[in-house]
């Protein structure tokens, strides 16, 4: 099952993996009644304001089976005053993120045990502010 807010991204996903289920929705609006073994949230959550991360990640925890895994990316160096916009491939995108230490705390508060938390793409001191990778397991019943 794949979810994306971009119809063009979903068209590409359907072309490459036509037997899978693809849903056009924003991450902050989607909900499922089913459970999954794993959720991958890569290069997506940082396009949503950090104030929405708690509710989103709480829903993700609910979707996961006990001992289900979450793999996600988030921003590395995060401005204290919130998000910013930048241009990529000729389009303007919004970026925001929790600082990595706060993200790990939030995940633990929600009911995850952190397996891995590391900078997978270090900031370059310029436009690239870095990317943080997290792998966590759902521990709540």
């Amino acid at each position: 099952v794949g979810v994306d807010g971009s119809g063009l991204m979903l068209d590409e996903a359907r072309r490459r993996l036509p037997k899978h289920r693809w849903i056009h929705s924003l991450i902050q609006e989607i909900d499922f009644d089913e459970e999954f073994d794993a959720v991958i949230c890569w290069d997506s959550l940082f396009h949503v304001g950090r104030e929405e991360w708690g509710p989103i990640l709480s829903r993700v925890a609910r979707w996961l089976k006990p001992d289900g895994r979450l793999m996600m990316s988030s921003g590395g160096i995060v401005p204290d005053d919130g998000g910013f916009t930048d241009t990529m491939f000729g389009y303007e995108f919004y970026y925001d993120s929790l600082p990595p230490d706060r993200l790990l705390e939030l995940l633990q508060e929600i009911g995850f045990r952190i397996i891995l938390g590391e900078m997978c793409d270090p900031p370059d001191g310029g436009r690239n502010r870095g990317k943080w990778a997290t792998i966590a397991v759902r521990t709540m019943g």
Side-chain angles (χ1 to χ4, degrees), residues 83-97:
F84 62 94
T85 57
D86 198 359
T87 303
M88 182 173 63
F89 306 121
Y91 294 94
E92 188 171 275
F93 287 89
Y94 175 78
Y95 294 90
D96 197 4
S97 187

Side-chain angles (χ1 to χ4, degrees), residues 61 105-113 136-141:
E105 288 173 5
L106 175 63
L107 288 168
Q108 291 170 334
E109 291 166 9
I110 290 171
F112 285 97
R113 178 175 49 85
V137 61
R138 178 182 176 223
T139 58
M140 58 191 186

Side-chain angles (χ1 to χ4, degrees), residues 4-140:
D4 203 294
S6 167
L8 292 174
M9 292 294 285
L10 290 173
D11 289 345
E12 182 65 19
R14 286 183 186 107
R15 185 183 69 73
R16 291 179 183 221
L17 299 163
K19 294 181 181 179
H20 291 70
R21 182 166 46 137
W22 302 105
I23 301 168
H24 189 203
S25 180
L26 298 175
I27 194 170
Q28 59 269 46
E29 296 174 0
I30 191 75
D31 203 359
F32 292 99
D33 291 327
E34 59 198 289
E35 288 185 317
F36 301 94
D37 294 313
V39 170
I40 299 171
C41 189
W42 201 263
D43 286 357
S44 55
L45 198 57
F46 53 56
H47 294 298
V48 178
R50 65 182 81 178
E51 68 279 357
E52 298 185 70
W53 285 35
I56 291 169
L57 291 170
S58 292
R59 281 198 316 277
V60 167
R62 185 173 40 82
W63 302 334
L64 286 168
K65 294 177 182 176
D67 296 324
R69 302 298 200 264
L70 167 66
M71 183 173 90
M72 65 174 288
S73 64
S74 58
I77 304 300
V78 181
D80 289 335
D81 58 353
F84 62 94
T85 57
D86 198 359
T87 303
M88 182 173 63
F89 306 121
Y91 294 94
E92 188 171 275
F93 287 89
Y94 175 78
Y95 294 90
D96 197 4
S97 187
L98 290 170
D101 59 340
R102 178 60 192 126
L103 170 63
L104 297 178
E105 288 173 5
L106 175 63
L107 288 168
Q108 291 170 334
E109 291 166 9
I110 290 171
F112 285 97
R113 178 175 49 85
I114 307 304
I115 296 173
L116 174 82
E118 68 181 20
M119 192 70 71
C120 65
D121 180 16
D124 63 11
R127 186 172 170 265
N128 179 359
R129 298 175 188 211
K131 186 184 307 181
W132 181 263
T134 304
I135 300 175
V137 61
R138 178 182 176 223
T139 58
M140 58 191 186

